[in-house]
Every structure is written in C-alpha cells, then in structure tokens.
Amino acid sequence: MSKQLERVLPILTTIPGVNIPATLLQGLYIAASQRKMEQFEGALRYEVNLLNRKIEAGKLVLDREYIKSEAFAANVIQALRAAEVAESEDKLHFIARALAGCSLSFPSPRLDRFQTLRIIEGMSDREMTVFVAYFQILDPINPYDDFIPVDTQVSVAGLTRQEFVSALLGLEQLGLLSKENLTNQEGDWRPTPSRSGSGFAWKLTSLARQVASLSQFGEDDI
C-alpha cells in the first residue's frame, strides 16, 4: 500500500463506523507529489472534521452500511486518483469534500457516488470555478428550476467572457448543464438585468444535483 494511502486512511477512520481493511488496498500505488498529497491530507482532515461536527449536531446522517463496503474503499481510490491531476488547492478541497460526502446517506433517487466522483475528477479547475459560481447566480431556493440565457453577459470574476463560455460548454460536455429552448415556455421567462432576450438557456441537470449533493452545497462554501 502506498504512503499516500497510509496517511489518508487514519483521517477517514475518524468518521464513525469507517473501517477500511488494508487488504483491500494492497498493491495500489498513487503517483502524486509530496506537496500535493500534504495539501490533500490537510483538505481531507478539514472536511472530515467539519462532517463529524455536523453529524454530531444531527445535521447529516451517515450511511453506516455503505461506509463498511468495498464500494466506499473504491471511492477512496477514485478520490486519490482525482487528486493526482488536480490543478489547484481549491480543487483538492472540492475532491476532499466529495469523498467525505460519500459516507453520507442521501434521499431517493439513489445517488451514484462512483459516477459523481468520476465527473468531479474530469472537471478542470476553471470548470469547477464556474460550476460553483453558477449556483451563486441562480435562485438560491431552487437553482434547478432556474436558468441563465445562453446570450447573457453574466461572467465570473477573473475570467474573460470567452473563458466563461468555454467553461459552460465544458460543463455541458460533462453532463452538468443542458441547453434548453425556453422560447415557447410561457411564464418561464423572467427578464432581469442578467436574464434578457429569449431562446436557449443553460439549466442544471440531475447529474449536477448529484455533484452538488455529494459536495454538500448549501452547507458551507467549498
């Protein structure tokens, strides 16, 4: 078992009920720089401590059967491999929070943890930044029913308009955004300074909901 796994497992076992047999991880090797793994360990420790406090406060519920399964061990490997290619410390925190979220119980429909971690791994740093910022633009009560017109001039601080649009297209390819025709949906179009015009608009998908749920959006900033 790699040194990275040896350092990460004690952090995860502070989650009540987590017990990953070392035999499940024998022979595995994760190639990542020492600095990156130290950053990931710090991020994971922070997220797991936060998770444990919320569990103790009754705000979150553990999936006690799942955290004892080989599937949860597979999530750990997925997260470490995602950390290998992470472009920033913010992305490492995103991955760490999603891994901690894998231990939680979710309401129906059943959340596909493996698929969701795979999508998170595939997100570039810019796509992640836009994905998080996208939720701040939408209706905070129900962002999944809200939308942003394709021709909107909304952008994100630090990104050019072209970079913002490119990230939206990347999120569409990942299945997190869909482009829908709202022209004929009477009552749906709500013109505001950021929602002018008509036609096609970006909407979050069910997969985006999975990513948000696993990353615990609405609890704290990522």
Side-chain angles (χ1 to χ4, degrees):
M1 181 167 56
S2 68
K3 291 182 179 179
Q4 293 94 328
L5 289 169
E6 290 176 352
R7 292 197 295 260
V8 164
L9 287 183
I11 300 172
L12 291 171
T13 53
T14 63
I15 300 174
V18 170
N19 181 20
I20 302 174
T23 53
L24 289 178
L25 308 177
Q26 289 296 333
L28 293 169
Y29 179 75
I30 304 297
S33 69
Q34 181 177 347
R35 174 174 170 75
K36 182 175 286 189
M37 283 309 304
E38 287 175 351
Q39 290 177 327
F40 182 68
E41 289 164 29
L44 186 61
R45 186 173 290 106
Y46 172 84
E47 298 298 345
V48 168
N49 286 340
L50 182 62
L51 180 92
N52 284 334
R53 289 200 298 271
K54 291 177 180 177
I55 291 170
E56 290 173 2
K59 295 180 179 179
L60 297 174
V61 178
L62 284 173
D63 188 336
R64 296 190 178 277
E65 288 193 16
Y66 187 82
I67 58 179
K68 297 176 183 177
S69 69
E70 292 186 10
F72 183 69
N75 294 152
V76 176
I77 304 305
Q78 275 188 290
L80 285 167
R81 287 175 176 160
E84 279 186 289
V85 295
E87 301 173 276
S88 69
E89 194 166 356
D90 284 343
K91 180 65 182 292
L92 290 172
H93 268 277
F94 194 99
I95 296 165
R97 175 168 282 202
L99 176 57
C102 285
S103 68
L104 298 175
S105 177
F106 297 97
S108 297
R110 187 171 64 87
L111 190 149
D112 188 330
R113 297 170 174 88
F114 191 91
Q115 178 192 42
T116 307
L117 280 175
R118 188 174 69 235
I119 294 298
I120 289 173
E121 178 181 357
M123 294 172 69
S124 71
D125 194 57
R126 183 182 297 168
E127 289 164 350
M128 181 201 70
T129 298
V130 171
F131 182 73
V132 174
Y134 196 94
F135 277 82
Q136 298 171 349
I137 297 170
L138 297 174
D139 179 359
I141 297 177
N142 192 354
Y144 303 101
D145 280 343
D146 204 358
F147 50 80
I148 295 179
V150 171
D151 60 357
T152 183
Q153 295 305 304
V154 171
S155 188
V156 173
L159 297 180
T160 66
R161 172 65 184 161
Q162 184 176 2
E163 289 170 339
F164 178 69
V165 171
S166 295
L168 291 176
L169 292 172
L171 292 171
E172 181 186 25
Q173 289 181 333
L174 288 170
L176 299 174
L177 290 178
S178 63
K179 195 182 296 181
E180 298 188 13
N181 188 343
L182 302 178
T183 303
N184 297 321
Q185 296 184 19
E186 295 184 5
D188 280 353
W189 198 256
R190 301 183 298 281
T192 70
S194 64
R195 293 175 174 80
S196 59
S198 61
F200 289 92
W202 295 111
K203 291 196 71 174
L204 295 167
T205 65
S206 58
L207 185 55
R209 188 189 293 266
Q210 286 194 176
V211 172
S213 296
L214 199 66
S215 303
Q216 302 162 68
F217 273 125
E219 296 291 335
D220 294 285
D221 292 333
I222 286 178

